[in-house]
């Protein structure tokens, strides 16, 4: 693997740099004493604890520099015009391999944030428009890894105009895999990123999600539903927009999917729509009879499941019951028949109150001290309970002259 090759190369360079030619260096002695390669770092198995720590820290520092240098080399190659690369025998497979190696390097959040500074981010975004579908898909993979849970790189990608080619590939790429990869990158780019969500909304990304739900690909459907559910949970004001675009009808259709992940995501989306306080269950009112029939059909299928399938469908069971309660204001028959929580699952419902027994004597003492004719006001947080005063009151601070 590329990572192993770089680790061995870096270790050799680093070890030789510590040798003076007259005697084995401390690094070489440590390595000779026995060790193993763990996560790209050579860890000494024998020797003193100090030697192990010293070698691990030194190699890690050197490998960090080695990876940055390699990322810079890849960025330089990707910045070279395709005609020049082709003249030197660089094939599309070679470019795809470079992108795959780069994706491994940027799994570290520090390396991901360094990608722009070494000149690699803009070429990766450029490859999103490459004529080769596999290269477009691989470039989207790199963007996904770079921006995932990384606000700094999310902003850098937005500033480098990475949003537009991703949206274009998601909505209109002729290759299905490239579309799926672009959607994955978009999902990672706009999560917890308000400018990204706004750009997605203004670019009519919701219509693209609707189209993805009509795809024959369960993977595409799952990704589209997961992003839809995130957007619904983040902004309930958009529930009416999703309803007008026909998402409830599409989600109800997908509730009967053969794919468990699609069914769960579709049920989750319907539940988010039903929870909306401004629209509420009215968004599903026109199709309530159909929804009731679909949920009853799912309950019947759940009844017929083998024990192992029933266990795997735990989230689906809970979603069906929650949606039934939200729409019809009563528990589903899953609850009545004991299929909602199976034997052995109760322990996951409510964690044990470990600390409660320590505070119980204080609660009883506080209750005895409280006058019986007073009622506590849940709004003031003072009556009928125990008050914990942490630090001086504002008055004592002002009176002290501070």
């Amino acid at each position: 693997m590329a990572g192993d090759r770089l680790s061995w190369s870096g270790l050799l360079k680093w070890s030789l740099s510590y040798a003076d030619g007259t005697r084995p260096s401390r690094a070489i002695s440590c390595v000779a004493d026995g060790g193993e390669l763990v996560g790209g770092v050579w860890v000494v198995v024998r020797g003193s604890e100090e030697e192990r720590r010293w070698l691990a820290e030194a190699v890690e520092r050197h490998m960090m520099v080695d990876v940055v240098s390699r990322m810079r080399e890849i960025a330089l190659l990707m910045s070279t015009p395709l005609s020049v690369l082709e003249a030197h025998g660089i094939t599309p497979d070679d470019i795809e391999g470079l992108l795959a190696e780069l994706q491994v390097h940027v799994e570290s959040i520090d390396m991901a944030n360094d990608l722009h500074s070494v000149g690699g981010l803009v070429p990766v975004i450029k490859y999103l428009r490459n004529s080769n579908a596999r290269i477009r898909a691989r470039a989207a993979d790199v963007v996904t890894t770079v921006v995932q849970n990384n606000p700094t790189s999310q902003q850098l990608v937005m500033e480098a105009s990475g949003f537009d080619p991703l949206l274009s590939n998601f909505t209109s790429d002729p290759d299905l895999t490239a579309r799926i990869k672009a959607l994955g990158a978009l999902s990672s780019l706009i999560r917890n990123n308000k400018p990204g969500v706004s750009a997605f909304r203004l670019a009519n990304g919701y219509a693209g999600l609707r189209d993805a739900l009509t795809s024959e690909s369960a993977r595409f459907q799952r990704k589209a539903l997961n992003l839809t559910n995130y957007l619904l949970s983040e902004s309930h004001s958009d529930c009416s927009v999703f309803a007008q675009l026909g998402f409830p009808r599409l989600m109800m259709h997908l509730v009967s999917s053969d794919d468990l992940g699609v069914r769960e995501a579709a049920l989750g989306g319907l539940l988010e729509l039903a929870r909306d306080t401004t629209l509420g269950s009215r968004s599903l009112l026109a199709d309530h009879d159909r929804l009731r029939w679909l949920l009853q059909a799912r309950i019947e299928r759940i009844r017929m499941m083998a024990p192992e399938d029933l266990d795997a469908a735990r989230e689906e069971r809970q979603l069906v019951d929650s949606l039934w309660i939200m729409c019809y204001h009563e528990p589903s028959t899953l609850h009545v028949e004991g299929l909602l929580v199976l034997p052995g699952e109760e322990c996951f419902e409510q964690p044990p109150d470990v600390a409660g027994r320590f505070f119980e004597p204080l609660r009883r003492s506080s209750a005895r001290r409280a006058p019986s004719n007073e009622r506590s006001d849940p709004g003031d947080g003072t009556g009928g309970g125990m008050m914990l005063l942490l630090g001086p009151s504002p008055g004592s601070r002002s009176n002290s002259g501070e």
Side-chain angles (χ1 to χ4, degrees):
M1 293 176 60
D4 293 338
R5 176 181 62 79
L6 286 172
S7 297
W8 282 104
S9 173
L11 178 63
L12 176 61
K13 292 177 183 177
W14 174 81
S15 298
L16 293 177
S17 70
Y18 278 82
D20 59 10
T22 60
R23 59 184 176 83
S25 70
R26 183 181 184 188
I28 295 175
S29 298
C30 288
V31 172
D33 198 31
E36 59 182 8
L37 197 65
V38 179
V41 176
W42 191 270
V43 179
V44 179
V45 175
R46 296 188 296 273
S48 68
E49 184 66 29
E50 180 187 0
E51 286 178 326
R52 295 183 188 183
R53 185 170 56 254
W54 173 81
L55 182 59
E57 292 175 356
V59 172
E60 185 176 358
R61 287 194 299 269
H62 183 84
M63 292 310 302
M64 180 95 49
V65 176
D66 200 36
V67 170
V68 171
S69 299
R70 180 58 181 163
M71 287 171 56
R72 189 174 285 111
E73 291 173 0
I74 295 174
L76 182 61
L77 283 170
M78 292 193 305
S79 301
T80 305
L82 289 176
S83 58
V84 176
L85 294 178
E86 292 172 357
H88 285 79
I90 303 298
T91 67
D93 288 343
D94 295 326
I95 295 174
E96 189 179 355
L98 288 174
L99 288 167
E101 180 184 344
L102 188 60
Q103 184 181 3
V104 173
H105 296 322
V106 297
E107 286 178 355
S108 161
I109 193 168
D110 292 331
M111 294 297 103
N113 292 335
D114 284 341
L115 181 62
H116 180 65
S117 62
V118 302
L121 182 59
V122 172
V124 168
I125 292 174
K126 178 188 69 174
Y127 276 119
L128 290 170
R129 302 183 187 275
N130 192 272
S131 59
N132 188 300
R134 286 164 52 193
I135 291 177
R136 294 196 300 273
R138 183 65 72 175
D141 277 339
V142 176
V143 175
T144 300
T145 305
V146 166
V147 301
Q148 195 165 32
N149 301 319
N150 188 347
T152 299
S153 286
Q154 285 177 336
Q155 181 179 352
L156 290 172
V157 169
M158 295 292 292
E159 292 174 351
S161 301
F163 176 85
D164 291 337
L166 285 174
L167 183 70
S168 176
N169 291 359
F170 159 51
T171 57
S172 57
D173 197 298
D175 183 81
L176 179 60
T177 299
R179 291 185 70 188
I180 294 173
K181 298 288 189 179
L183 174 56
L186 275 173
S187 180
S188 295
L189 178 61
I190 70 176
R191 283 178 184 269
N192 302 310
N193 176 10
K194 290 184 178 180
V197 171
S198 298
F200 189 79
R201 184 185 295 114
L202 291 173
N204 201 22
Y206 293 177
L209 291 174
R210 178 193 59 195
D211 294 341
L213 296 186
T214 64
S215 166
E216 296 297 323
S217 168
R219 185 182 179 195
F220 203 18
Q221 292 170 346
R222 282 196 305 269
K223 285 184 176 292
L225 284 167
N226 288 333
L227 181 54
T228 299
N229 294 351
Y230 168 77
L231 294 170
L232 285 171
S233 65
E234 288 295 302
S235 177
H236 276 201
S237 61
D238 286 347
C239 285
S240 59
V241 177
F242 280 101
Q244 292 169 8
L245 288 172
F247 276 79
R249 178 180 56 82
L250 292 172
M251 289 176 175
M252 280 188 265
H253 173 72
L254 294 176
V255 165
S256 302
S257 170
D258 293 332
D259 186 272
L260 174 61
V262 171
R263 293 199 304 270
E264 291 176 348
L267 288 166
L270 289 171
L271 186 59
E272 288 293 343
L273 286 170
R275 281 173 174 166
D276 176 35
T277 55
T278 58
L279 195 63
S281 298
R282 292 194 302 275
S283 64
L284 306 174
L285 189 58
D287 293 303
H288 254 213
D289 291 340
R290 183 187 175 201
L291 179 61
R292 181 189 291 270
W293 180 85
L294 285 169
L295 292 178
Q296 287 174 336
R298 287 315 310 162
I299 291 172
E300 188 60 32
R301 293 292 298 271
I302 290 171
R303 285 196 189 106
M304 299 170 59
M305 284 182 177
E308 60 272 15
D309 295 331
L310 198 60
D311 183 64
R314 179 181 182 184
E315 184 175 349
E316 181 183 9
R317 290 183 274 123
Q318 294 174 344
L319 286 168
V320 167
D321 185 69
S322 297
L323 186 56
W324 188 280
I325 292 174
M326 185 65 64
C327 292
Y328 309 116
H329 312 294
E330 63 179 7
S332 71
T333 54
L334 289 176
H335 192 281
V336 176
E337 297 176 12
L339 293 173
L340 181 60
V341 180
L342 301 179
E345 291 182 346
E346 289 86 352
C347 59
F348 297 102
E349 296 300 318
Q350 182 68 34
D353 184 10
V354 177
R357 60 191 180 91
F358 295 105
F359 291 97
E360 187 59 30
L362 292 175
R363 292 194 191 103
R364 288 198 299 266
S365 175
S366 177
R368 284 195 299 268
R369 289 194 300 267
S372 58
N373 59 344
E374 290 186 5
R375 296 180 59 188
S376 61
D377 182 358
D380 61 15
T382 59
M386 179 177 58
M387 254 175 79
L388 298 179
L389 302 179
L390 304 178
S393 67
S396 62
R397 176 177 290 273
S398 60
N399 292 337
S400 62
E402 294 181 4

PDB file of all heavy atoms in Angstrom, residues 170-200:
ATOM      1  N   PHE A 170     -24.308  15.882  -9.063  1.00  0.00           N
ATOM      2  CA  PHE A 170     -25.391  15.219  -8.324  1.00  0.00           C
ATOM      3  C   PHE A 170     -26.678  15.197  -9.136  1.00  0.00           C
ATOM      4  O   PHE A 170     -27.385  14.188  -9.194  1.00  0.00           O
ATOM      5  CB  PHE A 170     -25.601  15.922  -6.986  1.00  0.00           C
ATOM      6  CG  PHE A 170     -26.944  15.704  -6.350  1.00  0.00           C
ATOM      7  CD1 PHE A 170     -27.450  14.419  -6.186  1.00  0.00           C
ATOM      8  CD2 PHE A 170     -27.706  16.775  -5.921  1.00  0.00           C
ATOM      9  CE1 PHE A 170     -28.698  14.214  -5.601  1.00  0.00           C
ATOM     10  CE2 PHE A 170     -28.947  16.573  -5.335  1.00  0.00           C
ATOM     11  CZ  PHE A 170     -29.444  15.291  -5.188  1.00  0.00           C
ATOM     12  N   THR A 171     -27.006  16.296  -9.772  1.00  0.00           N
ATOM     13  CA  THR A 171     -28.303  16.411 -10.438  1.00  0.00           C
ATOM     14  C   THR A 171     -28.302  15.916 -11.877  1.00  0.00           C
ATOM     15  O   THR A 171     -29.354  15.484 -12.377  1.00  0.00           O
ATOM     16  CB  THR A 171     -28.779  17.874 -10.423  1.00  0.00           C
ATOM     17  OG1 THR A 171     -27.777  18.702 -11.063  1.00  0.00           O
ATOM     18  CG2 THR A 171     -29.013  18.354  -8.995  1.00  0.00           C
ATOM     19  N   SER A 172     -27.138  15.952 -12.549  1.00  0.00           N
ATOM     20  CA  SER A 172     -27.199  15.684 -13.993  1.00  0.00           C
ATOM     21  C   SER A 172     -26.059  14.840 -14.549  1.00  0.00           C
ATOM     22  O   SER A 172     -25.971  14.691 -15.767  1.00  0.00           O
ATOM     23  CB  SER A 172     -27.229  17.028 -14.752  1.00  0.00           C
ATOM     24  OG  SER A 172     -26.098  17.822 -14.419  1.00  0.00           O
ATOM     25  N   ASP A 173     -25.202  14.292 -13.704  1.00  0.00           N
ATOM     26  CA  ASP A 173     -24.123  13.463 -14.246  1.00  0.00           C
ATOM     27  C   ASP A 173     -24.717  12.215 -14.898  1.00  0.00           C
ATOM     28  O   ASP A 173     -25.577  11.554 -14.313  1.00  0.00           O
ATOM     29  CB  ASP A 173     -23.150  13.060 -13.133  1.00  0.00           C
ATOM     30  CG  ASP A 173     -21.819  12.574 -13.678  1.00  0.00           C
ATOM     31  OD1 ASP A 173     -21.803  11.552 -14.397  1.00  0.00           O
ATOM     32  OD2 ASP A 173     -20.794  13.219 -13.405  1.00  0.00           O
ATOM     33  N   PRO A 174     -24.267  11.855 -16.102  1.00  0.00           N
ATOM     34  CA  PRO A 174     -24.817  10.658 -16.755  1.00  0.00           C
ATOM     35  C   PRO A 174     -24.414   9.353 -16.079  1.00  0.00           C
ATOM     36  O   PRO A 174     -25.055   8.320 -16.309  1.00  0.00           O
ATOM     37  CB  PRO A 174     -24.242  10.734 -18.176  1.00  0.00           C
ATOM     38  CG  PRO A 174     -23.020  11.589 -18.057  1.00  0.00           C
ATOM     39  CD  PRO A 174     -23.311  12.564 -16.978  1.00  0.00           C
ATOM     40  N   ASP A 175     -23.381   9.397 -15.249  1.00  0.00           N
ATOM     41  CA  ASP A 175     -22.917   8.191 -14.570  1.00  0.00           C
ATOM     42  C   ASP A 175     -23.522   8.134 -13.169  1.00  0.00           C
ATOM     43  O   ASP A 175     -23.370   9.069 -12.374  1.00  0.00           O
ATOM     44  CB  ASP A 175     -21.386   8.197 -14.474  1.00  0.00           C
ATOM     45  CG  ASP A 175     -20.837   6.929 -13.849  1.00  0.00           C
ATOM     46  OD1 ASP A 175     -20.727   5.917 -14.559  1.00  0.00           O
ATOM     47  OD2 ASP A 175     -20.545   6.959 -12.633  1.00  0.00           O
ATOM     48  N   LEU A 176     -24.213   7.057 -12.836  1.00  0.00           N
ATOM     49  CA  LEU A 176     -24.907   6.945 -11.552  1.00  0.00           C
ATOM     50  C   LEU A 176     -23.936   6.973 -10.379  1.00  0.00           C
ATOM     51  O   LEU A 176     -24.209   7.632  -9.363  1.00  0.00           O
ATOM     52  CB  LEU A 176     -25.739   5.662 -11.513  1.00  0.00           C
ATOM     53  CG  LEU A 176     -26.510   5.399 -10.218  1.00  0.00           C
ATOM     54  CD1 LEU A 176     -27.495   6.526  -9.928  1.00  0.00           C
ATOM     55  CD2 LEU A 176     -27.241   4.057 -10.280  1.00  0.00           C
ATOM     56  N   THR A 177     -22.817   6.284 -10.494  1.00  0.00           N
ATOM     57  CA  THR A 177     -21.847   6.278  -9.386  1.00  0.00           C
ATOM     58  C   THR A 177     -21.327   7.681  -9.114  1.00  0.00           C
ATOM     59  O   THR A 177     -21.190   8.089  -7.947  1.00  0.00           O
ATOM     60  CB  THR A 177     -20.673   5.334  -9.714  1.00  0.00           C
ATOM     61  OG1 THR A 177     -21.160   4.009  -9.897  1.00  0.00           O
ATOM     62  CG2 THR A 177     -19.648   5.346  -8.584  1.00  0.00           C
ATOM     63  N   ALA A 178     -21.047   8.433 -10.170  1.00  0.00           N
ATOM     64  CA  ALA A 178     -20.583   9.807  -9.989  1.00  0.00           C
ATOM     65  C   ALA A 178     -21.653  10.657  -9.311  1.00  0.00           C
ATOM     66  O   ALA A 178     -21.343  11.526  -8.480  1.00  0.00           O
ATOM     67  CB  ALA A 178     -20.186  10.415 -11.334  1.00  0.00           C
ATOM     68  N   ARG A 179     -22.915  10.422  -9.636  1.00  0.00           N
ATOM     69  CA  ARG A 179     -24.007  11.157  -8.992  1.00  0.00           C
ATOM     70  C   ARG A 179     -24.074  10.828  -7.497  1.00  0.00           C
ATOM     71  O   ARG A 179     -24.231  11.721  -6.653  1.00  0.00           O
ATOM     72  CB  ARG A 179     -25.346  10.813  -9.651  1.00  0.00           C
ATOM     73  CG  ARG A 179     -25.522  11.326 -11.064  1.00  0.00           C
ATOM     74  CD  ARG A 179     -26.927  11.043 -11.572  1.00  0.00           C
ATOM     75  NE  ARG A 179     -27.918  11.877 -10.876  1.00  0.00           N
ATOM     76  CZ  ARG A 179     -29.226  11.738 -11.004  1.00  0.00           C
ATOM     77  NH1 ARG A 179     -29.710  10.762 -11.780  1.00  0.00           N
ATOM     78  NH2 ARG A 179     -30.051  12.539 -10.357  1.00  0.00           N
ATOM     79  N   ILE A 180     -23.958   9.546  -7.190  1.00  0.00           N
ATOM     80  CA  ILE A 180     -24.030   9.119  -5.786  1.00  0.00           C
ATOM     81  C   ILE A 180     -22.871   9.707  -4.992  1.00  0.00           C
ATOM     82  O   ILE A 180     -23.054  10.198  -3.868  1.00  0.00           O
ATOM     83  CB  ILE A 180     -24.034   7.591  -5.704  1.00  0.00           C
ATOM     84  CG1 ILE A 180     -25.312   7.022  -6.324  1.00  0.00           C
ATOM     85  CG2 ILE A 180     -23.906   7.126  -4.258  1.00  0.00           C
ATOM     86  CD1 ILE A 180     -25.329   5.512  -6.448  1.00  0.00           C
ATOM     87  N   LYS A 181     -21.660   9.666  -5.566  1.00  0.00           N
ATOM     88  CA  LYS A 181     -20.491  10.208  -4.876  1.00  0.00           C
ATOM     89  C   LYS A 181     -20.617  11.717  -4.683  1.00  0.00           C
ATOM     90  O   LYS A 181     -20.230  12.255  -3.635  1.00  0.00           O
ATOM     91  CB  LYS A 181     -19.232   9.893  -5.674  1.00  0.00           C
ATOM     92  CG  LYS A 181     -18.941   8.403  -5.850  1.00  0.00           C
ATOM     93  CD  LYS A 181     -18.473   7.766  -4.572  1.00  0.00           C
ATOM     94  CE  LYS A 181     -17.989   6.347  -4.816  1.00  0.00           C
ATOM     95  NZ  LYS A 181     -17.502   5.696  -3.586  1.00  0.00           N
ATOM     96  N   ALA A 182     -21.153  12.404  -5.692  1.00  0.00           N
ATOM     97  CA  ALA A 182     -21.337  13.852  -5.569  1.00  0.00           C
ATOM     98  C   ALA A 182     -22.336  14.180  -4.470  1.00  0.00           C
ATOM     99  O   ALA A 182     -22.155  15.134  -3.699  1.00  0.00           O
ATOM    100  CB  ALA A 182     -21.794  14.435  -6.902  1.00  0.00           C
ATOM    101  N   LEU A 183     -23.406  13.395  -4.364  1.00  0.00           N
ATOM    102  CA  LEU A 183     -24.380  13.611  -3.295  1.00  0.00           C
ATOM    103  C   LEU A 183     -23.742  13.386  -1.931  1.00  0.00           C
ATOM    104  O   LEU A 183     -23.998  14.150  -0.987  1.00  0.00           O
ATOM    105  CB  LEU A 183     -25.574  12.675  -3.482  1.00  0.00           C
ATOM    106  CG  LEU A 183     -26.620  12.680  -2.367  1.00  0.00           C
ATOM    107  CD1 LEU A 183     -27.164  14.082  -2.116  1.00  0.00           C
ATOM    108  CD2 LEU A 183     -27.760  11.712  -2.681  1.00  0.00           C
ATOM    109  N   GLY A 184     -22.904  12.367  -1.820  1.00  0.00           N
ATOM    110  CA  GLY A 184     -22.208  12.140  -0.554  1.00  0.00           C
ATOM    111  C   GLY A 184     -21.323  13.309  -0.176  1.00  0.00           C
ATOM    112  O   GLY A 184     -21.271  13.715   0.991  1.00  0.00           O
ATOM    113  N   ALA A 185     -20.623  13.870  -1.164  1.00  0.00           N
ATOM    114  CA  ALA A 185     -19.762  15.022  -0.890  1.00  0.00           C
ATOM    115  C   ALA A 185     -20.589  16.247  -0.506  1.00  0.00           C
ATOM    116  O   ALA A 185     -20.233  16.995   0.414  1.00  0.00           O
ATOM    117  CB  ALA A 185     -18.894  15.319  -2.114  1.00  0.00           C
ATOM    118  N   LEU A 186     -21.699  16.466  -1.212  1.00  0.00           N
ATOM    119  CA  LEU A 186     -22.575  17.595  -0.874  1.00  0.00           C
ATOM    120  C   LEU A 186     -23.124  17.466   0.540  1.00  0.00           C
ATOM    121  O   LEU A 186     -23.194  18.441   1.294  1.00  0.00           O
ATOM    122  CB  LEU A 186     -23.736  17.669  -1.865  1.00  0.00           C
ATOM    123  CG  LEU A 186     -23.508  18.413  -3.167  1.00  0.00           C
ATOM    124  CD1 LEU A 186     -24.704  18.234  -4.085  1.00  0.00           C
ATOM    125  CD2 LEU A 186     -23.247  19.897  -2.911  1.00  0.00           C
ATOM    126  N   SER A 187     -23.524  16.250   0.892  1.00  0.00           N
ATOM    127  CA  SER A 187     -24.073  16.018   2.225  1.00  0.00           C
ATOM    128  C   SER A 187     -23.053  16.375   3.299  1.00  0.00           C
ATOM    129  O   SER A 187     -23.382  17.028   4.296  1.00  0.00           O
ATOM    130  CB  SER A 187     -24.502  14.555   2.355  1.00  0.00           C
ATOM    131  OG  SER A 187     -25.045  14.308   3.633  1.00  0.00           O
ATOM    132  N   SER A 188     -21.802  15.961   3.107  1.00  0.00           N
ATOM    133  CA  SER A 188     -20.759  16.284   4.084  1.00  0.00           C
ATOM    134  C   SER A 188     -20.416  17.768   4.064  1.00  0.00           C
ATOM    135  O   SER A 188     -20.064  18.340   5.097  1.00  0.00           O
ATOM    136  CB  SER A 188     -19.499  15.462   3.791  1.00  0.00           C
ATOM    137  OG  SER A 188     -19.733  14.082   3.967  1.00  0.00           O
ATOM    138  N   LEU A 189     -20.537  18.388   2.892  1.00  0.00           N
ATOM    139  CA  LEU A 189     -20.176  19.802   2.764  1.00  0.00           C
ATOM    140  C   LEU A 189     -21.161  20.722   3.468  1.00  0.00           C
ATOM    141  O   LEU A 189     -20.755  21.720   4.076  1.00  0.00           O
ATOM    142  CB  LEU A 189     -20.095  20.169   1.278  1.00  0.00           C
ATOM    143  CG  LEU A 189     -19.783  21.629   0.937  1.00  0.00           C
ATOM    144  CD1 LEU A 189     -18.422  22.044   1.484  1.00  0.00           C
ATOM    145  CD2 LEU A 189     -19.841  21.854  -0.576  1.00  0.00           C
ATOM    146  N   ILE A 190     -22.452  20.413   3.425  1.00  0.00           N
ATOM    147  CA  ILE A 190     -23.440  21.358   3.949  1.00  0.00           C
ATOM    148  C   ILE A 190     -23.899  21.021   5.363  1.00  0.00           C
ATOM    149  O   ILE A 190     -24.613  21.832   5.981  1.00  0.00           O
ATOM    150  CB  ILE A 190     -24.665  21.463   3.016  1.00  0.00           C
ATOM    151  CG1 ILE A 190     -25.491  20.183   3.037  1.00  0.00           C
ATOM    152  CG2 ILE A 190     -24.227  21.795   1.601  1.00  0.00           C
ATOM    153  CD1 ILE A 190     -26.771  20.274   2.214  1.00  0.00           C
ATOM    154  N   ARG A 191     -23.522  19.880   5.908  1.00  0.00           N
ATOM    155  CA  ARG A 191     -23.928  19.557   7.273  1.00  0.00           C
ATOM    156  C   ARG A 191     -23.258  20.509   8.259  1.00  0.00           C
ATOM    157  O   ARG A 191     -22.048  20.716   8.211  1.00  0.00           O
ATOM    158  CB  ARG A 191     -23.583  18.111   7.618  1.00  0.00           C
ATOM    159  CG  ARG A 191     -24.533  17.102   7.014  1.00  0.00           C
ATOM    160  CD  ARG A 191     -24.144  15.689   7.341  1.00  0.00           C
ATOM    161  NE  ARG A 191     -25.007  14.730   6.665  1.00  0.00           N
ATOM    162  CZ  ARG A 191     -26.120  14.236   7.176  1.00  0.00           C
ATOM    163  NH1 ARG A 191     -26.500  14.594   8.394  1.00  0.00           N
ATOM    164  NH2 ARG A 191     -26.851  13.364   6.498  1.00  0.00           N
ATOM    165  N   ASN A 192     -24.060  21.070   9.145  1.00  0.00           N
ATOM    166  CA  ASN A 192     -23.575  22.038  10.138  1.00  0.00           C
ATOM    167  C   ASN A 192     -22.849  23.198   9.460  1.00  0.00           C
ATOM    168  O   ASN A 192     -21.873  23.736   9.985  1.00  0.00           O
ATOM    169  CB  ASN A 192     -22.649  21.350  11.150  1.00  0.00           C
ATOM    170  CG  ASN A 192     -23.328  20.209  11.864  1.00  0.00           C
ATOM    171  OD1 ASN A 192     -24.425  20.362  12.392  1.00  0.00           O
ATOM    172  ND2 ASN A 192     -22.684  19.044  11.877  1.00  0.00           N
ATOM    173  N   ASN A 193     -23.329  23.555   8.287  1.00  0.00           N
ATOM    174  CA  ASN A 193     -22.714  24.609   7.491  1.00  0.00           C
ATOM    175  C   ASN A 193     -23.837  25.458   6.906  1.00  0.00           C
ATOM    176  O   ASN A 193     -24.379  25.142   5.841  1.00  0.00           O
ATOM    177  CB  ASN A 193     -21.840  23.990   6.389  1.00  0.00           C
ATOM    178  CG  ASN A 193     -21.241  25.029   5.448  1.00  0.00           C
ATOM    179  OD1 ASN A 193     -21.305  26.232   5.695  1.00  0.00           O
ATOM    180  ND2 ASN A 193     -20.669  24.565   4.347  1.00  0.00           N
ATOM    181  N   LYS A 194     -24.224  26.519   7.600  1.00  0.00           N
ATOM    182  CA  LYS A 194     -25.375  27.313   7.191  1.00  0.00           C
ATOM    183  C   LYS A 194     -25.225  27.906   5.793  1.00  0.00           C
ATOM    184  O   LYS A 194     -26.186  27.876   5.008  1.00  0.00           O
ATOM    185  CB  LYS A 194     -25.638  28.419   8.223  1.00  0.00           C
ATOM    186  CG  LYS A 194     -26.165  27.878   9.548  1.00  0.00           C
ATOM    187  CD  LYS A 194     -26.503  29.012  10.507  1.00  0.00           C
ATOM    188  CE  LYS A 194     -27.074  28.451  11.821  1.00  0.00           C
ATOM    189  NZ  LYS A 194     -27.405  29.548  12.769  1.00  0.00           N
ATOM    190  N   PRO A 195     -24.044  28.472   5.428  1.00  0.00           N
ATOM    191  CA  PRO A 195     -23.913  28.955   4.045  1.00  0.00           C
ATOM    192  C   PRO A 195     -24.107  27.840   3.023  1.00  0.00           C
ATOM    193  O   PRO A 195     -24.671  28.063   1.947  1.00  0.00           O
ATOM    194  CB  PRO A 195     -22.488  29.526   4.005  1.00  0.00           C
ATOM    195  CG  PRO A 195     -22.166  29.870   5.422  1.00  0.00           C
ATOM    196  CD  PRO A 195     -22.860  28.830   6.241  1.00  0.00           C
ATOM    197  N   GLY A 196     -23.643  26.642   3.357  1.00  0.00           N
ATOM    198  CA  GLY A 196     -23.817  25.518   2.443  1.00  0.00           C
ATOM    199  C   GLY A 196     -25.270  25.134   2.283  1.00  0.00           C
ATOM    200  O   GLY A 196     -25.744  24.865   1.160  1.00  0.00           O
ATOM    201  N   VAL A 197     -26.016  25.100   3.392  1.00  0.00           N
ATOM    202  CA  VAL A 197     -27.442  24.777   3.324  1.00  0.00           C
ATOM    203  C   VAL A 197     -28.184  25.838   2.519  1.00  0.00           C
ATOM    204  O   VAL A 197     -29.048  25.519   1.690  1.00  0.00           O
ATOM    205  CB  VAL A 197     -28.032  24.653   4.744  1.00  0.00           C
ATOM    206  CG1 VAL A 197     -29.552  24.539   4.692  1.00  0.00           C
ATOM    207  CG2 VAL A 197     -27.442  23.448   5.466  1.00  0.00           C
ATOM    208  N   SER A 198     -27.839  27.098   2.737  1.00  0.00           N
ATOM    209  CA  SER A 198     -28.491  28.182   1.984  1.00  0.00           C
ATOM    210  C   SER A 198     -28.216  28.059   0.491  1.00  0.00           C
ATOM    211  O   SER A 198     -29.124  28.240  -0.335  1.00  0.00           O
ATOM    212  CB  SER A 198     -27.995  29.539   2.497  1.00  0.00           C
ATOM    213  OG  SER A 198     -28.336  29.723   3.861  1.00  0.00           O
ATOM    214  N   ALA A 199     -26.964  27.747   0.148  1.00  0.00           N
ATOM    215  CA  ALA A 199     -26.619  27.581  -1.266  1.00  0.00           C
ATOM    216  C   ALA A 199     -27.377  26.403  -1.871  1.00  0.00           C
ATOM    217  O   ALA A 199     -27.856  26.478  -3.018  1.00  0.00           O
ATOM    218  CB  ALA A 199     -25.106  27.371  -1.412  1.00  0.00           C
ATOM    219  N   PHE A 200     -27.519  25.327  -1.119  1.00  0.00           N
ATOM    220  CA  PHE A 200     -28.240  24.149  -1.603  1.00  0.00           C
ATOM    221  C   PHE A 200     -29.704  24.473  -1.823  1.00  0.00           C
ATOM    222  O   PHE A 200     -30.308  24.054  -2.824  1.00  0.00           O
ATOM    223  CB  PHE A 200     -28.090  23.017  -0.586  1.00  0.00           C
ATOM    224  CG  PHE A 200     -28.603  21.687  -1.057  1.00  0.00           C
ATOM    225  CD1 PHE A 200     -27.852  20.901  -1.915  1.00  0.00           C
ATOM    226  CD2 PHE A 200     -29.833  21.209  -0.637  1.00  0.00           C
ATOM    227  CE1 PHE A 200     -28.322  19.673  -2.358  1.00  0.00           C
ATOM    228  CE2 PHE A 200     -30.308  19.981  -1.062  1.00  0.00           C
ATOM    229  CZ  PHE A 200     -29.543  19.213  -1.931  1.00  0.00           C
TER     230      PHE A 200
END
